[in-house]
Amino acid sequence: MVLAGAVRSTKGTVLVVGAVFFVVAFIGLIFNHLNSWDQPTRTNPESDGFSAPPANVVPGGAITPSTSNAPAPPPPPFGESAAALRNFYLKQLRKPSVKPDDERYHPWGAFNWSLPDNPRWKQRMGESLCIIDLDNRPFNESQQIFGPDAMTWDNALAVHGLSLGVLNHWIYAKIHGYKYYYVATEHYGDRRASWKKPPIMTKILKEHDVCLYIDSDAIFHRLDLPFEWLLNYWELYPESNSLALAFDPDNDWNKDRFGKVYLNTGFIVAQNNPTTYKILDTWQRCPDEGEPYPTCTEFRLNFPGQPTDQGGFGTFVRYNFSESIRELPCTEANGYPESDSGCKGQFIRHLWTGKHDQIKVDVGEQVPGPYLQMFHEQFKDEMDTFYMTERDLMSKGPKAATKKRPATKARKESGNGKSP
Ligand SMILES: *[C@@H]1O[C@H](CO)[C@@H](O)[C@H](O)[C@H]1NC(C)=O
Ligand SMILES: *[C@@H]1O[C@H](CO)[C@@H](O)[C@H](O)[C@H]1NC(C)=O
Ligand SMILES: *[C@@H]1O[C@H](CO)[C@@H](O)[C@H](O)[C@H]1NC(C)=O
């Protein structure tokens, strides 16, 4: 009896303690939730945050992961099985769910998007399609993409939002077999580093058929959806199109001096054709003194409310090449639902004001639990196949500046590439 009573009261205590813990955790969750949404909803047209690197950074120098004072990295999760688990993810969990020209795309059976008639991209493009990341910030602190330790949800608070964007781009390329590049850019003496987009894209596009540039706070929201399908959906064909960009939300602060809403230059689809190079060259020279647009110099540097490369592109360049530039709907290729901006980011999400929190939710749902650490380990392991300095890119070209992975290892680990 005494024993039974003791057991019962212990159980009771456990229950009470459990209930109290639950209530405290629940309240904590609610407060966290309120905090994370207590953000300004104004969308900064150029919130990608290219910045001047700290003084000790060698421009365009290779990243050197720090070893000093860093906590000892945890052992890689799942050791030997990591490769098999990653393969399961890429080949099963997030495998391409439609063919490039399948008539309909029904993610989760809940949506129903269909292609226009006569889609012309019929084959998987493999490495003739490329995805470009570029930045002049080193991102080499703890829990950043080039940091000394692997990113892990065990330390979710410290995980760096923009680094998850970069990881998303690389994983998407891996799933579909596209070529991925990361370019560590130098900075311009007299203008913001984001003005590097046109010369870098020009150099890389020469060795591919189609290339995408995407900001680190933008992500491929539907990992299973092949980009060829989107090219068909948006009717982006090299004979009739050079660049495609999405509108920004329809707000006064997103308009150029003629009252037209800017195209966001954080996501750009470029076709390898002569007009594309003409546009990129004109855009690159836009903020130069004199030709081609004398007053474009005002877009060299950013200050609150002032876009730079986007301002020059939107105010001048697009009007001279309107027939070759496709304007994509904001809700399909810009914004995110929680932004309440009218732009839901149905295919491409751009988390302008959510790059510290909502991007973690979105990428966290794509790469949950140990998958974050497992893919980040692999990303760092394969860096020499995609990472290059601007100097190397400009002198050698993208393919020569990045090493090819030995065929056997690439097949075993990543299993990507062109369809047979
Ligand atoms: C990051 O990289 C830069 C440039 O290589 C280097 O100067 C700096 O010390 C690094 N910081 C850390 C924390 O590793
Ligand atoms: C999807 O939409 C098309 C028209 O665009 C329609 O013919 C088809 O029945 C729809 N399918 C489903 C499953 O709703
Ligand atoms: C852009 O278009 C305007 C108006 O048609 C024209 O005057 C100007 O020369 C063009 N500029 C360039 C760089 O093509």
Side-chain angles (χ1 to χ4, degrees), residues 83-84 86-92 94-96 124 126-127 170-178 375 378 382 405-420:
R86 282 189 293 247
N87 202 42
F88 170 74
Y89 181 102
L90 300 168
K91 294 301 189 79
Q92 300 297 331
R94 299 293 186 171
K95 69 178 176 192
R124 293 176 63 187
E127 296 197 344
W170 172 80
I171 289 176
Y172 182 71
K174 251 187 145 37
I175 290 171
H176 299 281
Y178 307 140
F375 277 122
Q378 189 184 12
E382 296 183 5
R405 199 132 187 104
T408 49
K409 201 168 177 196
R411 237 194 324 273
K412 192 171 128 239
E413 250 290 343
S414 67
N416 62 15
K418 294 189 185 204
S419 57

Side-chain angles (χ1 to χ4, degrees), residues 47-58:
S47 53
D48 46 46
F50 285 92
S51 65
N56 63 347
V57 173
V58 186

Side-chain angles (χ1 to χ4, degrees), residues 9 20 31 65 106 133 147 236 266 367:
S9 80
V20 168
F31 272 93
H106 292 288
D133 269 323
L236 304 180
V367 193

Side-chain angles (χ1 to χ4, degrees), residues 54 56-58 61-68 138-142 146-148:
N56 63 347
V57 173
V58 186
I63 299 294
T64 48
S66 79
T67 44
S68 60
F139 294 145
N140 59 349
E141 305 284 326
S142 175
F146 300 116

